[in-house]
Amino acid sequence: MARRITVLACAAAALLGAKAPPGPRPGITGISHLAVYARDMAKSEHFYTHVLGARKGTDPENPAGVRYYLSSRQFVEVLPAPAGQGPSMLAHVAYATTDAATLRAWLAASGVSGLGAMQRSPEGDRWFALRDPEGNGIQFVQSASADANAVPGAISGRIIHVGYAVHDRAKQDGMYRRLLGFRPYWYGAFEPDKVDWVSQQAPDGRDWLEYMMIGPGSDVPLTTVDARQLGVLNHLSLGVPNMQAAVTTLHREDRLSPRHDGPQMGLDGKWQTNLYDPDGTRIELMEFQPVTKPCCSSFTAESPTG
């Protein structure tokens, strides 16, 4: 496996005009967190603590921010929207790694530029930041937590995927697939001659990144991509074992967000329900396993199990 990763990375380095990495890449095991902006932090707190049932915590990355923990390792980070913030409320997406410092060195040796300095929280989490080829902020986080226990009362303690708007699939693939080794999982669209969603699992886990395709070749024209649409595209998905039970809990405990939709069957054959935070960011509940045949393509890897 290590030799295969090195070969893939060497090919990516040649493609990107970068140097070949010095050895095997440290593990990239899944999703750490999603960071979003908020225009009203109090309203966001109600959504994340009451609707999702997350536990509020301090933010070692930004003293003005808040972390809402779904488990001891996964959370949503909410930051005050800067003055003049545009229509997108996406701040960054973070992936989990087994060794942040070594991964940073590996990327630097591969010729990747713009790497942020190593950071460390009081609890011992370590991370660094960079931007992907389309300018999205991303982080790689090494958690100090020895377990991944769900927060009691959370509607889900498991982030299974993140998605964000992508214009140029080939450009993004140069980093995510060819350099980092993300693995194909599923793709689909509303129309047979288009591609709207391209999913690829983390190299060393089953969480996935979903390209939310916009522009030519997709069903989403660039002219329709406003703040509301971006809130749908840039999203987080929480795994639940049984959608009926999850939605029943939300109804019974008066926890549904004012804006919501579903449950409905996704084109990937999985039950889904959408909740929306006060700034329009979509939080999707999704069953871990498909219950019917997906449209468009077959799954090429095992789905998360919880």
Side-chain angles (χ1 to χ4, degrees):
M1 176 59 75
R3 182 176 183 276
R4 179 174 178 270
I5 290 172
T6 302
V7 169
L8 286 171
C10 289
L15 178 69
L16 300 173
K19 298 178 291 184
R25 167 190 48 72
I28 300 172
T29 57
I31 308 299
S32 165
H33 65 274
L34 176 76
V36 297
Y37 293 118
R39 293 191 169 90
D40 187 321
M41 295 293 282
K43 289 182 179 179
S44 289
E45 178 174 341
H46 180 266
F47 174 84
Y48 287 102
T49 59
H50 177 67
V51 176
L52 298 189
R55 174 175 56 82
K56 182 180 179 181
T58 57
D59 187 351
E61 298 182 50
N62 186 330
V66 180
R67 286 184 174 184
Y68 293 103
Y69 286 91
L70 298 156
S71 77
S72 51
R73 289 187 179 180
Q74 293 183 311
F75 56 90
V76 179
E77 180 182 8
V78 180
L79 303 167
Q85 175 65 28
S88 174
M89 301 304 281
L90 177 66
H92 64 260
V93 173
Y95 299 95
T97 180
T98 56
D99 189 334
T102 301
L103 179 59
R104 186 186 183 282
W106 186 91
L107 289 168
S110 301
V112 176
S113 61
L115 298 169
M118 285 296 306
Q119 305 289 323
R120 186 184 181 95
S121 74
E123 295 75 24
D125 293 348
R126 307 186 72 192
W127 73 89
F128 67 94
L130 67 156
R131 292 195 176 273
D132 73 14
E134 290 202 350
N136 299 299
I138 62 173
Q139 294 182 356
F140 288 99
V141 179
Q142 178 184 348
S143 175
S145 177
D147 54 52
N149 295 331
V151 168
I155 197 64
S156 168
R158 182 73 163 82
I159 300 173
I160 58 174
H161 80 261
V162 291
Y164 36 101
V166 167
H167 302 76
D168 188 327
R169 177 179 173 183
K171 183 186 292 186
Q172 294 290 73
D173 279 353
M175 177 177 174
Y176 290 106
R177 287 201 179 182
R178 289 186 286 276
L179 178 61
L180 295 176
F182 278 66
R183 300 166 293 126
Y185 178 51
W186 178 79
Y187 67 87
F190 288 112
E191 302 293 335
D193 60 339
K194 296 182 178 180
V195 176
D196 293 331
W197 316 288
V198 184
S199 298
Q200 41 269 310
Q201 287 185 336
D204 307 292
R206 294 182 182 177
D207 300 351
W208 71 92
L209 159 63
E210 187 173 31
Y211 295 168
M212 305 295 287
M213 300 303 303
I214 60 176
S218 79
D219 285 299
V220 183
L222 291 172
T223 54
T224 70
V225 182
D226 57 9
R228 186 179 179 89
Q229 182 74 60
L230 282 169
V232 173
L233 299 172
N234 300 331
H235 71 283
L236 175 79
S237 184
L238 304 177
V240 297
N242 183 286
M243 189 60 66
Q244 182 178 4
V247 173
T248 297
T249 295
L250 293 174
H251 275 283
R252 184 180 63 245
E253 299 179 1
D254 192 25
R255 290 168 59 181
L256 279 170
S257 55
R259 180 184 167 201
H260 60 271
D261 54 76
Q264 64 262 336
M265 179 63 65
L267 293 182
D268 58 358
K270 299 179 182 181
W271 281 108
Q272 303 167 6
T273 293
N274 293 313
L275 308 170
Y276 297 85
D277 82 2
D279 292 279
T281 296
R282 180 165 63 101
I283 305 297
E284 175 186 62
L285 305 184
M286 174 181 281
E287 287 193 357
F288 290 107
Q289 300 296 321
V291 295
T292 189
K293 183 178 179 180
C295 86
C296 317
S297 69
S298 300
F299 289 105
T300 57
E302 293 294 323
S303 298
T305 56

